[in-house]
Amino acid sequence: MAPYGPLSQFPAGSRVRIEQLCECARARGRLCAMGLVPGTVVEVCSGCGGPCYLKVRGTRLTLGHGLAGNILARAVDPESDRFIAA
């Protein structure tokens, strides 16, 4: 598993912490409105090649592969939500 990289590259079942959002102000605003802000821990349900399905704050979201590829995230330990060492 990649410890740091685009959200779209993490396999299903990964828990990641969002580190940085895309540069586009409009897309960033939409992501923030959905609860996807830096520091948020999300679970990747499906991704790697198609739409990215996420569990975040008790709900499920779907992001297109392109948008998910512009969100940088870091893998966290599923039990403690601490970063996984590289």
Side-chain angles (χ1 to χ4, degrees), residues 14-84:
S14 299
R15 287 182 51 86
V16 299
R17 180 170 291 141
I18 295 174
E19 294 290 313
Q20 183 179 353
L21 299 179
C22 60
E23 297 295 320
C24 174
R26 183 175 179 193
R28 201 171 47 245
R30 291 176 68 201
L31 291 168
C32 289
M34 290 187 281
L36 294 173
V37 296
T40 302
V41 175
V42 301
E43 182 179 341
V44 179
C45 298
S46 176
C48 291
C52 192
Y53 299 99
L54 308 171
K55 284 185 190 175
V56 57
R57 297 181 178 170
T59 192
R60 291 178 187 237
L61 299 174
T62 303
L63 299 178
H65 184 74
L67 182 57
N70 288 321
I71 300 170
L72 296 178
R74 184 177 306 275
V76 295
D77 181 38
E79 296 173 9
S80 67
D81 285 345
R82 293 189 177 168
F83 294 124
I84 296 174

